[in-house]
Amino acid sequence: MAIEGTDPVIKRGLTPTQRFIVTVFGLMVVAGGLSVFGLLALNANQAAPGSSTPNPNCTRQLAGPASSNDPAARNQAYLDADYAGCQSLGMSESAAVAFLNGKGLAVRIASRDGQDFMLTADYSDSRVNLTVMRSVVTKYNVG
């Protein structure tokens, strides 16, 4: 027999399962908020892609006769363009184009963000073809 004034069916508070669900949901909301704030902070601190200065880690090759490893003889114009192309690695696209043009070299963008462009098949020792990913020069070749 029930005591008067109490109802055995009505209980106050949450069951353990309900507390678990509320806790997990709360943690998900907090984690989502922290993720958004983290991404905003990273985006705010992100500098413009690419460098504005030439890559200092390039070595200049010497002109010489053809070898078994490199059957084409390399002339001085090719080597100068190759050295300048190496220096453009890691630079922003606009800075690299200005740098290479300042060296008297023609520049073509051969590929940008994975999209290859049609190029003429003529060869020029005074032209550098650039591959650009996210506005940064990632590859080059002379020709």
Side-chain angles (χ1 to χ4, degrees):
M1 172 170 246
I3 302 174
E4 237 177 87
T6 63
D7 186 351
V9 177
I10 298 176
K11 294 182 179 178
R12 299 204 183 253
L14 300 174
T15 66
T17 303
Q18 290 171 329
R19 275 185 281 193
F20 176 76
I21 291 171
V22 168
T23 302
V24 169
F25 181 73
L27 290 173
M28 289 171 54
V29 168
V30 169
L34 290 175
S35 297
V36 169
F37 286 123
L39 290 173
L40 290 173
L42 284 174
N43 196 29
N45 292 332
Q46 189 174 17
S51 170
S52 60
T53 58
N55 180 354
N57 300 321
C58 298
T59 55
R60 187 180 290 271
Q61 298 177 16
L62 301 175
S67 70
S68 60
N69 293 338
D70 187 9
R74 302 299 186 194
N75 62 30
Q76 194 60 49
Y78 170 86
L79 295 173
D80 291 342
D82 185 63
Y83 182 65
C86 176
Q87 289 179 306
S88 73
L89 292 174
M91 294 178 79
S92 67
E93 178 181 349
S94 58
V97 169
F99 171 74
L100 293 169
N101 285 336
K103 298 280 187 184
L105 300 168
V107 179
R108 292 192 298 192
I109 305 301
S111 175
R112 182 181 288 116
D113 295 327
Q115 180 183 3
D116 294 331
F117 301 117
M118 291 179 57
L119 303 175
T120 58
D122 62 317
Y123 179 83
S124 172
D125 281 336
S126 62
R127 181 174 56 215
V128 178
N129 301 310
L130 300 177
T131 297
V132 178
M133 290 295 287
R134 296 182 179 171
S135 300
V136 177
V137 176
T138 58
K139 239 170 107 172
Y140 77 95
N141 70 341
V142 176

